[in-house]
């Protein structure tokens, strides 16, 4: 009699937890009938519970489930044992399973990441790959729990994170859903025990080698002594913080839209914002311009909104600037290579940056006919017979002048008028002889080298890129 009662109680407890999971999934609009779901399963308690709960709900919700497991190869035979366990469990449940054996330690060393971050990147890339097989609407279900949220909150708070770091693990993000985010680890362990399913335990979770383990083993139990429902209470706080974060973020986006000035933002408008909104706007500016946004940078930018002009190099040749009341990004482009001094001659001249100058000498009549058919441009040609002594192709030099149009001007002024960017000017081909500059690429011939009816031979100079 007692056994029957206990059995009935256990069954009710199992159904209650699965019902709570179903209600949470429906409330948060995580899944709809007919969805394809990739369940991320390590073999531990939480992910084992996730897979069994999804299977229990699969008929009612018409779910198509696939399991994805990553062997990190960090614990030798133990990692292989986890893989075998997951494969056997999936076989018993009739769930297809895909496994990735990943050299996480090597990947971490190659990309200068911690093993935790490397493993995370590899896992989520694999889960996305699996989901793609089901189509763009497939979901990825991970087994993050209420206990994970509490540990993440404390971990981020200890590191001095901003508001976003205190908002916990989101219930869903894009195609990733977390159906167990409302359950504690203790509840999931009880579920597995009552259902009679086994799970594996990662031996590294039993040590205090990692910061999260120290929090799990030492901090959380103390906080539970103060409040047995600590994790659930903290979850409510995280939700309130998330609402505040979203409100501030939306306000910052609106403020940035109103402060937009061409390719930048009005520093005066941003300086007038409330501090919380100002900080959020600073973060969004860093993100838009492709810069990392740490605490010190955000603080400096907030102060910079009302300060003087600045130019901060935040990446190689990339700057965050303030000038004339505008906050903007400036990219310093690499300077063009200077040309080696090369004697003028018919044929091809190889330039130092991997391009050619093609020089042709044509009778005037032939050039005129070609010009009529737009084969050549007047800017590409000059009177060959006006060369005095020896001519050389080279880059610009200090003191260069030419009478291209409107009187004699320095090359600097000619380049400014032609709006040639400063970083490209050393790459412009200049032909000079004993009398000075005779021809400039893109601008044409000096007055003394212009083509007239008296011209006998026309020199045509064209740049051509080398084919690779």
């Amino acid at each position: 009699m007692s056994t029957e009662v206990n059995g009935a109680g256990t069954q009710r407890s199992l159904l209650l937890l699965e019902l709570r999971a179903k209600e949470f999934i429906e409330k948060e609009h995580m899944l709809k009938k007919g969805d394809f779901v990739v369940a991320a399963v390590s073999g531990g308690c939480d992910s084992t519970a996730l897979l069994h709960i999804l299977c229990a709900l699969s008929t009612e919700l018409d779910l198509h489930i696939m399991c994805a497991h990553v062997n990190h190869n960090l614990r030798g035979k133990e990692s292989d044992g986890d893989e075998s366990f997951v494969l056997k469990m999936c076989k018993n449940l009739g769930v297809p399973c895909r496994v990735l054996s990943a050299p996480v330690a090597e990947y971490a060393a190659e990309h200068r990441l911690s093993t935790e971050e490397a493993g995370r990147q590899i896992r989520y890339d694999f889960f996305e790959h699996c989901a793609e097989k089901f189509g763009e609407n497939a979901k990825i279900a991970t087994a993050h729990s209420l206990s994970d949220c509490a540990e993440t909150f404390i971990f981020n708070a200890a590191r001095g994170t901003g508001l976003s770091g205190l908002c916990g693990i989101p219930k869903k993000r894009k195609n990733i859903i977390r159906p167990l985010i409302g359950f504690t680890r203790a509840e999931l362990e009880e579920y597995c025990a009552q259902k009679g399913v086994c799970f594996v335990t990662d031996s590294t979770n039993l040590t205090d080698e990692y910061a999260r383990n120290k929090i799990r083993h030492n901090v959380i139990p103390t906080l539970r002594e103060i409040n047995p429902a600590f994790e659930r209470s903290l979850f409510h706080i995280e939700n309130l913080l998330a609402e505040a974060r979203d409100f501030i973020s939306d306000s910052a986006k609106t403020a940035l839209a109103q402060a937009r000035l061409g390719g930048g933002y009005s520093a005066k408008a941003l300086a007038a914002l409330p501090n919380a909104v100002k900080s959020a706007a600073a973060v969004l500016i860093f993100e838009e311009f492709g810069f990392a946004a740490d605490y010190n940078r955000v603080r400096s930018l907030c102060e910079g909104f009302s300060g003087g002009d600045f130019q901060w190099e935040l990446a190689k040749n990339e700057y965050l600037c303030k000038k004339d009341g505008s906050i903007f990004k400036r990219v310093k482009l690499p300077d063009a290579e200077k040309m080696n001094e090369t004697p003028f001659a018919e044929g091809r001249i190889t330039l130092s940056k991997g391009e050619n100058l093609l020089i042709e000498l044509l009778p005037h009549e032939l050039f005129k006919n070609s010009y009529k058919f737009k084969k050549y441009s007047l800017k590409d040609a000059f009177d060959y017979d006006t060369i005095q002594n020896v001519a050389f192709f080279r880059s610009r030099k200090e003191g260069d002048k030419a009478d291209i149009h409107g009187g004699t001007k320095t090359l600097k002024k000619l380049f400014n008028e032609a709006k040639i960017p400063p970083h490209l000017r050393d790459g412009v081909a200049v032909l000079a002889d004993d009398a000075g500059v005779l021809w400039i690429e893109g601008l044409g011939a000096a007055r003394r080298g212009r083509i007239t009816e008296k011209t006998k031979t026309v020199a045509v100079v064209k740049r051509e890129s080398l084919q690779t």
Side-chain angles (χ1 to χ4, degrees):
M1 181 72 174
S2 175
T3 302
E4 290 178 0
V5 171
N6 288 338
T10 297
Q11 188 63 26
R12 281 196 299 272
S13 180
L14 288 171
L15 290 174
L16 179 61
L17 191 143
E18 290 168 359
L19 178 61
R20 282 174 55 201
K22 176 176 175 290
E23 290 175 345
F24 183 72
I25 289 170
E26 292 176 340
K27 177 186 175 184
E28 299 296 333
H29 306 289
M30 290 183 174
L31 295 170
K32 60 181 185 299
K33 287 193 175 184
D35 270 351
F36 289 88
V37 186
V38 175
V41 179
S42 66
C45 169
D46 297 355
S47 62
T48 296
L50 171 68
L51 184 60
H52 279 82
I53 289 170
L54 288 174
C55 287
L57 301 176
S58 62
T59 300
E60 186 176 357
L61 297 180
D62 189 25
L63 301 178
H64 305 275
I65 304 169
M66 183 179 78
C67 171
H69 174 80
V70 177
N71 183 338
H72 295 77
N73 292 292
L74 294 173
R75 295 175 286 116
K77 291 183 179 179
E78 188 177 322
S79 293
D80 296 336
D82 293 352
E83 178 183 326
S84 298
F85 171 82
V86 172
L87 286 169
K88 183 177 179 181
M89 175 171 59
C90 289
K91 183 178 180 180
N92 292 338
L93 290 171
V95 174
C97 181
R98 296 194 66 186
V99 173
L100 173 68
S101 181
V104 173
E106 290 86 341
Y107 182 88
E110 180 182 350
H111 294 83
R112 298 182 180 180
L113 300 169
S114 68
T115 52
E116 290 177 281
E117 180 59 26
R120 184 184 182 282
Q121 285 187 14
I122 289 172
R123 284 196 304 275
Y124 278 91
D125 284 347
F126 179 58
F127 300 154
E128 290 288 355
H129 175 73
C130 292
E132 287 173 1
K133 303 294 181 181
F134 283 145
E136 61 181 14
N137 294 321
K139 302 295 193 301
I140 297 169
T142 68
H144 290 92
S145 68
L146 204 56
S147 302
D148 291 314
C149 287
E151 292 163 11
T152 299
F153 180 96
I154 294 170
F155 179 72
N156 287 339
R159 292 194 307 168
T161 186
L163 178 59
S164 290
L166 298 178
C167 293
I169 302 169
K171 304 180 186 80
K172 56 184 180 179
R173 178 173 58 84
K174 296 181 179 179
N175 65 330
I176 298 172
I177 60 171
R178 298 184 170 101
L180 305 185
I181 205 81
F183 298 91
T184 64
R185 187 170 292 114
E187 288 178 305
L188 298 176
E189 287 174 351
E190 183 181 0
Y191 174 81
C192 288
Q194 291 179 346
K195 202 169 181 70
V197 298
C198 299
F199 54 85
V200 296
T201 301
D202 184 337
S203 61
T204 61
N205 287 336
L206 303 177
T207 71
D208 284 347
E209 181 179 352
Y210 298 107
R212 286 183 179 274
N213 289 353
K214 291 179 182 178
I215 293 169
R216 183 178 303 169
H217 299 153
N218 304 302
V219 180
I220 298 292
T222 301
L223 293 170
R224 282 205 200 101
E225 289 178 8
I226 299 171
N227 177 9
F230 159 73
E231 290 154 311
R232 201 164 299 283
S233 297
L234 186 57
F235 189 58
H236 295 318
I237 294 173
E238 289 175 340
N239 287 334
L240 291 173
L241 289 172
E243 290 176 3
R245 176 202 59 196
D246 292 344
F247 175 78
I248 293 170
S249 178
D250 289 343
S251 299
K253 290 175 183 176
T254 300
L256 284 176
Q258 294 171 347
R260 173 72 73 175
L261 287 176
Y265 297 97
S266 166
K268 182 179 180 180
L270 297 176
L273 296 173
N275 286 338
V277 180
K278 188 187 301 182
S279 295
V283 171
L284 292 172
I285 288 173
F286 281 117
E287 290 177 352
E288 177 185 341
F289 292 155
F291 298 127
D294 59 29
Y295 172 79
N296 289 328
R297 285 185 174 182
V298 170
R299 181 178 178 182
S300 295
L301 182 54
C302 289
E303 293 173 352
F305 289 151
S306 55
D309 290 353
F310 57 78
Q311 178 173 284
W312 302 331
E313 186 173 14
L314 301 183
K316 187 176 180 180
N317 294 324
E318 295 185 9
Y319 302 83
L320 184 65
C321 307
K322 179 185 177 185
K323 188 176 180 181
D324 298 330
S326 177
I327 304 289
F328 59 94
K329 177 181 180 179
R330 185 175 76 85
V331 178
K332 181 183 177 183
L333 299 174
D335 292 335
E337 292 184 45
K338 284 195 172 186
M339 295 176 57
N340 296 322
E341 198 167 88
T342 306
F344 176 89
E346 188 173 11
R348 279 184 173 83
I349 295 175
T350 300
L351 302 179
S352 58
K353 63 178 181 180
E355 292 182 310
N356 288 334
L357 285 180
L358 177 62
I359 297 97
E360 291 185 86
L361 299 181
L362 303 173
H364 189 205
E365 288 300 318
L366 180 58
F367 172 77
K368 284 199 300 183
N369 291 335
S370 300
Y371 175 68
K372 288 178 182 177
F373 291 102
K374 298 185 180 179
K375 182 179 179 182
Y376 299 110
S377 164
L378 278 174
K379 289 184 179 181
D380 301 327
F382 64 92
D383 187 335
Y384 170 72
D385 297 315
T386 61
I387 293 178
Q388 295 189 25
N389 202 5
V390 180
F392 290 87
F393 286 109
R394 58 171 173 79
S395 294
R396 59 179 176 164
K397 285 185 178 180
E398 188 72 28
D400 276 344
K401 297 179 180 179
D403 181 7
I404 300 293
H405 51 76
T408 301
K409 300 176 183 178
T410 64
L411 264 60
K412 180 178 181 180
K413 188 166 186 178
L414 289 170
F415 286 163
N416 284 338
E417 291 175 352
K419 294 183 170 52
I420 298 173
H423 70 283
L424 297 179
R425 293 178 184 181
D426 281 340
V428 175
V430 175
L431 181 67
D433 60 13
D434 286 358
V437 174
L438 178 62
W439 173 87
I440 303 172
E441 181 182 11
L443 300 182
R447 178 183 293 274
R448 64 185 176 91
R450 290 177 188 169
I451 299 168
T452 68
E453 290 302 319
K454 296 179 180 180
T455 299
K456 296 179 180 179
T457 305
V458 176
V460 180
V461 185
K462 293 284 286 184
R463 184 182 291 255
E464 60 176 11
S465 298
L466 295 173
Q467 296 298 318
T468 57

